[in-house]
Amino acid sequence: MSERAQFTTRMGAIAATVGSAVGLGNIWRFPYEAGQNGGGAFLLIYLLCVVVMGIPVMVAEFVIGRSTHRNVCGALRQLSPHSKARWFGYVGITASLMILSFYSVVCGWIVEYLVLAVSGRLTGLEPNGYATMFTSFASHPWRPVLWTALFLLLNHLVLRRGLKRGIERASNVMMPLLFVILVIFAIHSLLLPGAERAVNFLMAPRLEDVTPDVALKAMGQAFFSLSLGLSCLLTYASYFKNSDSLTRNATVIALLDTLVAVMAGLMIFPAVFSYGMEPQAGPKLIFEVLPIIFNQMHMGIVWAVLLFMLLFLASITSSISMSEISIAFLTEEHNISREAATTVNTGIAVVFGSLCALSFGPLSGFTICGKTLFDLFDFVSSNVLLPLGGIFFSLFVGWHLDRRMVNAQLSHGPFVAIVIFCMRYVAPVAIASVFIYGLL
Ligand code: TRP
């Protein structure tokens, strides 16, 4: 195991992990979920979920990964050789492939819109032309498939280069760039005439909006956005150095991820309000509503290019992290080369990603339990497997592992006692209650 790769610097480890966390979840999903679920009330519950469930589960994943320096199945086997815990590793790997499949469909749409924006074809339509444009693109028999495959190819090229020259280097370049674009965008939006209404919408919770349903959505969003529950952060933590403080890393990552989500809200809502639109459009918000706004905005084309650039940077640093789970597993447990493991991962994702892409067109009639493949993968992974994974990791580290080992992993760093308390009691109970309510 001595030659196993590690992130070169602490900054590189944080950039990669923040890169995993910051993705479509922050810039595409957070604004529309907040838009549909009461704005401020959603943000408030979201923050609470990040603190009492998100950070503890993240630290639990970090402890498993960093104490063993192995892939998920190897790590669980090493820590608990006589239990069935390692089976959970297979669940994580399957779930990560499901997420990667539907995630790359949306990434494919983003690449198409980036190309449209750069080539000037995103401006100049009638306001209601954009909805038609998006629907006819998403239901096209092969264009979305092509973009999904192209995105997965880019993902493949980064992963093939390995941990340091691929993942770490890409994150070190892309994450700072992402922050710069986001700050410029948010400042521009906050100077628009509708900005106060937007800030109010996002920052002032109306108590009547706090409902169990909003809590369920906010918890799901927190898990998805922090990349929790599937062993994605476990895998990245297996590349952390022993000298890194796990609670400090977790706090920094959760803070930056939340900051990006809030800034994405502050970038999108002022534009939506100041151009007289409503924020409840759901998943199509960025594809159908924002182009109408860019069309009327001064230098709209530049903003459109920047937005889709931003989404692209955010999404590729997340998709590489999902892929790394199965790549680490295949190279370490089955002794195959990194190239071959990357090819297997890409192959599976291209097949299932294409089927998900076609769910909006030719395969829209193909449903299981009333859901298209895209919706099914999203539902099963985000709403079922992520919370179950969260409960598993917090119980496994909080109760099953040797206390001295856990304490040694967390020996230097802030908030250790609170994090352990939340990991043992608060997180499992809270996740289980919200989860059970959601299934009822
Ligand atoms: N967190 C990413 C986002 O916000 C998505 C993601 C990456 C993810 N890895 C994950 C979600 C693992 C769940 C589990 O877009």
Side-chain angles (χ1 to χ4, degrees), residues 101 145 152 345-358 373 377:
S101 302
V145 175
L152 285 166
N345 176 75
T346 306
I348 298 177
V350 168
V351 171
F352 287 99
S354 303
L355 294 174
C356 288
L358 294 173
L373 204 63
F377 276 19

Side-chain angles (χ1 to χ4, degrees), residues 19-26 99 103 223-230 232 257 314 318-319 321-322 325 386:
S20 167
V22 169
L24 298 180
N26 306 61
I99 295 206
Y103 201 83
F223 269 78
F224 189 85
S225 184
L226 293 172
S227 307
L228 293 176
L230 294 188
C232 186
D257 185 67
S318 297
S319 63
S321 74
M322 295 171 203
I325 307 177
L386 295 196

Side-chain angles (χ1 to χ4, degrees), residues 137-175:
F137 161 64
S139 59
H140 194 272
W142 52 263
R143 260 171 53 206
V145 175
L146 191 74
W147 290 118
T148 304
L150 182 83
F151 178 83
L152 285 166
L153 180 71
L154 296 174
N155 184 59
H156 181 92
L157 294 178
V158 177
L159 284 159
R160 254 189 65 142
R161 300 173 65 92
L163 185 77
K164 292 186 187 177
R165 291 196 317 130
I167 298 180
E168 184 170 355
R169 201 183 282 174
S171 311
N172 275 339
V173 176
M174 290 182 182
M175 294 319 289

